[in-house]
Amino acid sequence: MVGMLLWKSPQAGKRKKHVTVEERVILHMRFLCAEVTRGPRTPETVQRRRMLAAGKRLRKQGVVRVIVPEDFAYMEQLERAGLRPVSTQALRRRLAADWVRFDLVKQGIPVAGAKVAVCGAQLTGELVRTVTELTLRHRYVLLDLPYGGEELCRQLRREYGVSLLLGPAKDQLEGAEALVLFDPRTDLSCRNPVVLPLYDESAPLPPLVLPPALEEKLPEGTGRGQLLAVLQEAGVLKAGQISLAAERPAT
């Protein structure tokens, strides 16, 4: 079971427990939710102690991965308890093609004619899906891979009649309007108008929305990207149910 951390405000009157743990169901998926009291005057030493206690209680009940609130500053305490944060990497890669379009529109760059460069250390299923979606949307797609790109080029030409530029030069990568990085590239300046470092989970996600009937069932106060990543991973959310916020037309 995946864990979830939520803050709760102090309550006046009768003494309340500062850490409570209970099971919660979100979109038919079970989570073990720990609520931790935090007030404006709570000392940091007390807050760290409560968070460590919450982490230990979650771990004792079998939790290994945990969804934490936005701007969470107590990951060290959770790691000491044996927990790790939920990864959003798969979600980022699943959304990559839509994310490129979203950021191009935000920058006022015409989408269809934009050059999009994709770099990766190996040919994975996620990269193939992303490149395929990009070639169907953009006229110029550049692919930089150490090996395996030739077969993908043939496949795209055979199945969709589209082509991409394989093995572009460094100046071509840096001249693209959008640069999609599946792995770090220290040799590139990364000054393109749009840069998506899909490996970097500290980078902000774009605004994500669900259909209204699902949106209203999500709890407030928890890490939205992590929660959506878990729901997608479990198959609770199907392809296309997670979308980026409305885009304005490109000029």
Side-chain angles (χ1 to χ4, degrees):
M1 189 183 299
V2 177
M4 180 184 297
L5 275 165
L6 293 170
W7 298 119
K8 63 180 179 179
S9 300
Q11 295 181 354
K14 185 178 178 181
R15 182 179 178 84
K16 303 288 184 179
K17 292 182 179 179
H18 295 302
V19 178
T20 57
V21 176
E22 64 178 6
E23 190 174 302
R24 181 177 295 192
V25 178
I26 301 171
L27 297 179
H28 306 292
M29 182 173 177
R30 295 186 303 128
F31 295 85
L32 197 61
C33 180
E35 290 189 321
V36 181
T37 300
R38 181 180 68 169
R41 298 182 181 179
T42 305
E44 274 299 302
T45 53
V46 173
Q47 200 62 68
R48 287 193 293 269
R49 186 166 65 248
R50 290 175 184 173
M51 193 54 61
L52 180 59
K56 288 181 177 179
R57 290 185 60 179
L58 289 174
R59 186 67 189 92
K60 187 176 181 179
Q61 297 191 52
V63 170
V64 175
R65 297 185 300 156
V66 63
I67 299 169
V68 300
E70 304 289 351
D71 301 320
F72 187 70
Y74 302 95
M75 204 60 230
E76 179 183 349
Q77 282 69 39
L78 297 187
E79 289 172 350
R80 285 172 56 191
L83 302 177
R84 67 176 187 270
V86 164
S87 173
T88 60
Q89 190 174 91
L91 175 65
R92 293 168 184 271
R93 294 181 174 184
R94 171 71 68 176
L95 296 170
D98 290 339
W99 198 347
V100 166
R101 175 183 172 83
F102 179 86
D103 279 2
L104 287 172
V105 169
K106 188 166 62 174
Q107 295 279 356
I109 300 172
V111 173
K115 294 184 291 293
V116 182
V118 180
C119 301
Q122 58 183 330
L123 188 65
T124 64
E126 293 170 321
L127 189 144
V128 169
R129 182 181 61 248
T130 297
V131 170
T132 301
E133 291 178 1
L134 289 172
T135 55
L136 296 175
R137 301 179 185 190
H138 304 274
R139 190 172 299 122
Y140 308 105
V141 178
L142 296 68
L143 177 60
D144 189 46
L145 279 174
Y147 57 87
E150 295 83 0
E151 177 56 34
L152 178 57
C153 287
R154 289 191 290 268
Q155 177 184 335
L156 291 174
R157 191 178 299 112
R158 182 174 62 251
E159 295 185 8
Y160 302 106
V162 297
S163 60
L164 52 85
L165 175 61
L166 187 63
K170 179 180 177 182
D171 63 335
Q172 291 177 301
L173 293 174
E174 295 187 332
E177 281 77 21
L179 178 63
V180 181
L181 300 173
F182 277 76
D183 302 278
R185 285 292 297 267
T186 57
D187 60 315
L188 299 178
S189 65
C190 296
R191 296 176 181 171
N192 309 63
V194 172
V195 179
L196 299 186
L198 301 179
Y199 58 87
D200 183 5
E201 298 197 49
S202 66
L205 280 161
L208 305 175
V209 295
L210 300 180
L214 300 178
E215 190 72 49
E216 65 184 15
K217 296 180 181 178
L218 298 185
E220 296 182 358
T222 192
R224 184 179 179 83
Q226 290 181 326
L227 177 57
L228 296 183
V230 167
L231 294 172
Q232 174 189 265
E233 174 190 311
V236 175
L237 294 177
K238 308 301 181 183
Q241 287 186 311
I242 304 176
S243 58
L244 277 65
E247 306 163 353
R248 60 179 176 83
T251 56

